[in-house]
Every structure is written in C-alpha cells, then in structure tokens.
C-alpha cells in the first residue's frame, strides 16, 4: 500500500524533495552494508567496484536511499549469483550500475521493465507488486537524472547517470 501511495504522490508531483549536497559513494556503501545479511543468506558475494573519488551531487537523501534499496533488493530477489555493483566518475556524470544474471528476461522485457505492475518472471508475480523499479525510475527522473536498462549476454544491467556538480554550470 505504501508503494502505491508513494508512486501516486510522485506522479502527481505531491512528493517534496529535500535537496542538498550528498555523496553517492557513502550512500551506496551504506546501502550495500544494509543488505550484508541478505547476501550472506543467499550465499552471494557481490563484486563491488567503487571509484575512490566521487563528486558530490545535489539530490534528496531519502530518495537516493530508496533508489539504492529498490535496486539492491530487486537484485537479491531475482539473482542467485554474479551480482555486480559499480560506481564510477566521468566528466559529466557519476555512473552507477547494478548488474546480475537474468536468464528469464528477454529483450522484449526491457521496454516494460520500469512499467508499473510489470513482472517479467510470472512465477513470482504473487510476491511482487511490480512497483519497485517504476518508483525508482520516477524518482530518478524527477530528480533530474537518467536511468536505463539493457540485457547483455544474459545479464540485466541497470545504469543510472547522476548529474554531478562538475557538470552543473
């Protein structure tokens, strides 16, 4: 119910963001640490690649926590190995990638992955509202960043391009 309510507020621009300078590296590391026991329970040792120097961004801390939580939770829900999380700096963006094996996904699923109520794995639809990735996309776009998903050699890669302060004029 909370997810339905949050998505409705986001779509109707009723959700107010508290924008301030934040560090994605710190936030991503904290989010990964929150799921430490979940990784252990599933016997997953994620590959984590995080650049040492990551610029700050202007964003909403709670929204970014929700974005990272939704993406990591989604990986844990559907992947059983080969999880990779990365954060890197380039000139215009900070890029975060969430990658996991997704043998049940097909190329045609990519266009619908961020749609409300869409679950590519029909056998799990009873446990999933299909709102997590939809909320993630809306949050990212409302905050002025970009998200994309692609299927590469059987792996789902969700990539976020965060506008950093270096790219702001």
């Amino acid at each position: 119910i909370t997810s339905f309510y949050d998505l409705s507020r986001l779509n109707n621009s009723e959700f107010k963001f508290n924008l301030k300078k934040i560090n994605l590296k710190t936030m991503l590391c904290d989010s990964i640490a929150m799921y430490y026991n979940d990784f252990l329970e599933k016997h997953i040792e994620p590959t984590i690649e995080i650049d040492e120097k990551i610029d700050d961004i202007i964003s909403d801390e709670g929204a970014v926590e929700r974005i990272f939580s939704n993406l990591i939770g989604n990986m844990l829900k559907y992947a059983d190995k080969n999880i990779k999380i990365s954060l890197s700096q380039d000139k215009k963006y900070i890029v975060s990638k969430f990658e996991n094996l997704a043998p049940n996904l097909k190329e045609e699923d990519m266009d619908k992955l961020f749609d409300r109520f869409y679950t590519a794995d029909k056998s799990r639809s009873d446990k999933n509202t299909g709102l997590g990735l939809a909320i993630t996309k809306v949050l990212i776009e409302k905050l002025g960043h970009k998200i994309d998903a692609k299927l590469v050699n059987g792996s789902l890669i969700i990539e976020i391009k965060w506008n950093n302060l270096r790219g702001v004029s």
Side-chain angles (χ1 to χ4, degrees):
I1 291 176
T2 302
S3 293
F4 286 108
Y5 178 67
D6 289 345
L7 188 59
S8 173
R9 287 180 56 221
L10 282 165
N11 283 328
N12 293 322
S13 298
E14 296 172 13
F15 195 91
K16 301 297 178 213
F17 293 109
N18 179 20
L19 300 178
K20 63 181 184 177
K21 188 188 285 193
I22 61 172
N23 185 282
L24 285 175
K25 177 183 173 187
T26 301
M27 293 192 69
L28 181 57
C29 289
D30 289 348
S31 292
I32 293 168
M34 277 184 17
Y35 284 95
Y36 178 79
N37 287 332
D38 298 289
F39 285 119
L40 284 178
E41 283 176 23
K42 288 196 79 173
H43 305 287
I44 296 173
E45 188 171 328
T47 301
I48 300 168
E49 296 175 358
I50 299 177
D51 285 356
E52 261 321 291
K53 178 89 173 86
I54 298 291
D55 288 343
D56 289 338
I57 66 168
I58 300 295
S59 199
D60 180 280
E61 195 170 330
V64 173
E65 285 174 359
R66 177 91 180 255
I67 290 163
F68 287 156
S69 178
N70 284 356
L71 291 171
I72 295 169
N74 195 64
M75 294 172 91
L76 282 163
K77 194 180 296 182
Y78 296 110
D80 57 359
K81 58 182 175 177
N82 296 342
I83 286 179
K84 181 178 177 182
I85 301 170
S86 64
L87 186 68
S88 59
Q89 178 82 48
D90 74 16
K91 290 181 183 177
K92 190 170 180 182
Y93 300 106
I94 298 168
V95 179
S96 56
K97 290 184 184 179
F98 299 82
E99 182 176 348
N100 60 275
L101 283 178
N104 295 327
L105 283 180
K106 296 176 179 38
E107 195 60 45
E108 56 266 20
D109 293 320
M110 295 299 96
D111 291 337
K112 301 177 252 173
L113 199 64
F114 297 110
D115 291 354
R116 289 182 296 170
F117 313 120
Y118 183 72
T119 54
D121 187 347
K122 302 304 176 201
S123 67
R124 296 185 183 191
S125 61
D126 62 325
K127 302 176 195 169
N128 186 359
T129 63
L131 291 175
L133 291 180
I135 289 170
T136 298
K137 182 176 178 147
V138 172
L139 283 170
I140 288 168
E141 290 177 348
K142 294 270 185 184
L143 289 167
H145 309 290
K146 298 173 186 165
I147 187 167
D148 188 41
K150 59 187 170 188
L151 200 56
V152 179
N153 297 324
S155 288
L156 171 64
I157 302 171
I158 296 178
E159 178 182 86
I160 303 169
K161 290 183 177 178
W162 307 89
N163 296 311
N164 63 28
L165 293 179
R166 199 184 311 174
V168 175
S169 50

